[in-house]
Amino acid sequence: MIITIICDVLGEENNGTTITSKRLIDNLKARGHEVRVVSPSPIKEAGYYQVGTYNFGVFNKYVAKNGVSLAKANKPTILKAIEGADIVHIMLPYSLGQTAIKICKERHLPVTAGFHTQAENVTAHVGLKNARWANNLVYKYLRHVLYKKVDAIHCPSRTISVIISKQNFRVKKYVISNGVDPMFKHIPTPKPEGLEDKFLILFVGRFAHEKRHDLLIDAVKYSKHEKDIQPIFCGEGPLEEKIKARAKGLTNAPILGFHPKQELVPILNYCDLYVHPSDAEIEAISCLEAITCGQVPVISDSPASATNSFALGPEHLFNHRDPKDLARKIDYWIEHPEEKKQASQKYLEYSKQFAIEGSIDLMEKMFKDAIALHKEPLKK
């Protein structure tokens, strides 16, 4: 197939959408498909079409702290990239994606779209993450500008498929995990020098409101083993200084920093526990990568997070409104090392279903179904 992928965000692998986009592109190419990519990324390779980015004026610093650049729509560039394509896949419902869907509809091209932006990812920036009316408005807007116009929607989890179905997204949905790169695997790894006697708790996620680093910090403060715990937060984002300020008073200040996947694999292997406190997640590929490396997770039970579907028992969940409950779960795993070892083996087996090969199989099927759907009216 000739597949054109429209990526409003594509650059450094510091966010889930970019990671997902690059893995999809690379794996489709590996299977022999011709993949064209429209994005703001200056990649000097065949098949890449670069567009400009928006200037947000006084908000440029804030956007930069989020580690992303948003693409500016460019109709001539999109037209070049979709010429002769069998299908177009839109990653995000922003300016580039919105322009692409208009062009594709005019040319009767089959189009699919990924659902990678949860309403809470938007409303959290303006302090309205928990306002139902605000989240409903965001979903209504997303449905109107893109998702009601496509032939199929890729939902990375059943949770988000249910959520958008309740929001009147009536297009056919395909529940397909974003998939875990084979680089992530269990490799026994010693702890770094100076951390050998610490219980290392890891969370991988952007430094953003909905990720709830604050909740994990508070839980460590309540833990009976606070002096022995070393939090490690892998990521970057606008709340870095607030996270540091929140952690004041901890015996061991969190270790913060962004790490490419080559550096992340050993970190995922030498830590003792993975905690995912985020309030809103469509899938959380970082949690899947953690369990694929043998980490035992403790996950927020937030109804807006799909990640809690990875919990294999109540001991892997905590009340998303209660840091003391998270502290109790952390203490449980510190005090039950043999059970943690057994749970690690269970998660290693469980994680096999999320290998990216299976995800690409299903993405190919979605593309072929959408192409066939477009041909049906021509047969009549």
Side-chain angles (χ1 to χ4, degrees), residues 84-285:
D86 294 304
I87 190 160
V88 175
H89 182 65
I90 299 172
M91 295 299 298
L92 290 166
Y94 304 147
S95 179
L96 194 62
Q98 291 174 27
T99 302
I101 190 65
K102 290 176 186 175
I103 294 170
C104 291
K105 295 296 281 186
E106 290 167 1
R107 284 155 181 73
H108 306 289
L109 270 173
V111 186
T112 58
F115 203 93
H116 302 288
T117 299
Q118 209 164 348
E120 289 83 354
N121 299 141
V122 178
T123 55
H125 288 286
V126 291
L128 293 172
K129 176 171 60 74
N130 297 316
R132 184 179 294 179
W133 63 268
N135 291 323
N136 288 345
L137 277 176
V138 171
Y139 282 123
K140 184 177 181 180
Y141 172 77
L142 298 179
R143 187 179 71 240
H144 174 73
V145 298
L146 179 65
Y147 293 100
K148 72 177 184 179
K149 304 172 186 177
V150 301
D151 298 297
I153 300 172
H154 163 216
C155 295
S157 66
R158 192 161 300 283
T159 299
I160 197 62
S161 175
V162 170
I163 287 172
I164 65 174
S165 293
K166 290 178 179 177
Q167 293 286 341
N168 296 316
F169 286 63
R170 293 180 181 159
V171 172
K172 185 171 182 179
K173 300 163 197 71
Y174 289 72
V175 177
I176 306 169
S177 169
N178 287 319
V180 178
D181 189 302
M183 176 178 285
F184 292 91
K185 55 189 173 184
H186 180 51
I187 308 168
T189 307
K191 293 179 181 179
E193 187 177 347
L195 297 178
E196 299 94 339
D197 62 339
K198 302 298 182 188
F199 188 87
L200 308 183
I201 295 181
L202 176 66
F203 173 41
V204 181
R206 286 185 308 111
F207 301 155
H209 291 283
E210 71 273 19
K211 300 300 182 180
R212 298 306 308 273
H213 293 80
D214 60 311
L215 201 156
L216 177 50
I217 289 167
D218 291 349
V220 173
K221 289 178 180 178
Y222 287 125
S223 169
K224 291 185 289 183
H225 304 276
E226 186 272 336
K227 290 181 180 179
D228 300 316
I229 295 172
Q230 173 62 67
I232 299 176
F233 297 155
C234 294
E236 60 185 0
L239 297 189
E240 182 170 346
E241 293 308 314
K242 287 188 176 181
I243 290 170
K244 290 177 181 176
R246 185 77 173 220
K248 281 184 178 176
L250 287 181
T251 302
N252 304 297
I255 298 171
L256 282 72
F258 171 74
H259 298 272
K261 61 185 178 182
Q262 293 85 352
E263 295 176 7
L264 194 56
V265 173
I267 296 172
L268 286 168
N269 274 281
Y270 67 61
C271 283
D272 296 296
L273 191 70
Y274 183 83
V275 175
H276 203 89
S278 181
D279 276 343
E281 292 284 6
I282 286 178
E283 183 181 39
I285 197 69

Side-chain angles (χ1 to χ4, degrees), residues 15-75:
N15 63 86
T17 304
T18 292
I19 292 168
T20 296
S21 300
K22 287 189 174 179
R23 288 182 189 171
L24 176 62
I25 292 162
D26 292 345
N27 280 274
L28 288 172
K29 283 183 176 180
R31 293 193 177 194
H33 300 292
E34 180 183 333
V35 182
R36 304 168 184 173
V37 182
V38 183
S39 81
S41 186
I43 298 174
K44 304 298 182 184
E45 292 178 23
Y48 281 84
Y49 299 76
Q50 187 182 1
V51 295
T53 58
Y54 278 103
N55 183 343
F56 292 94
V58 295
F59 297 104
N60 278 338
K61 285 187 179 179
Y62 181 79
V63 173
K65 281 185 178 180
N66 276 280
V68 298
S69 296
L70 286 179
K72 194 182 284 187
N74 185 304
K75 190 171 181 180

Side-chain angles (χ1 to χ4, degrees), residues 349-375:
E349 189 63 32
Y350 170 74
S351 67
K352 290 178 182 177
Q353 64 186 292
F354 300 106
I356 198 164
E357 282 297 311
S359 298
I360 300 301
D361 289 342
L362 295 171
M363 291 296 289
E364 286 180 323
K365 182 181 185 306
M366 179 182 73
F367 293 152
K368 289 173 183 175
D369 287 352
I371 292 168
L373 181 68
H374 252 252
K375 289 179 179 176

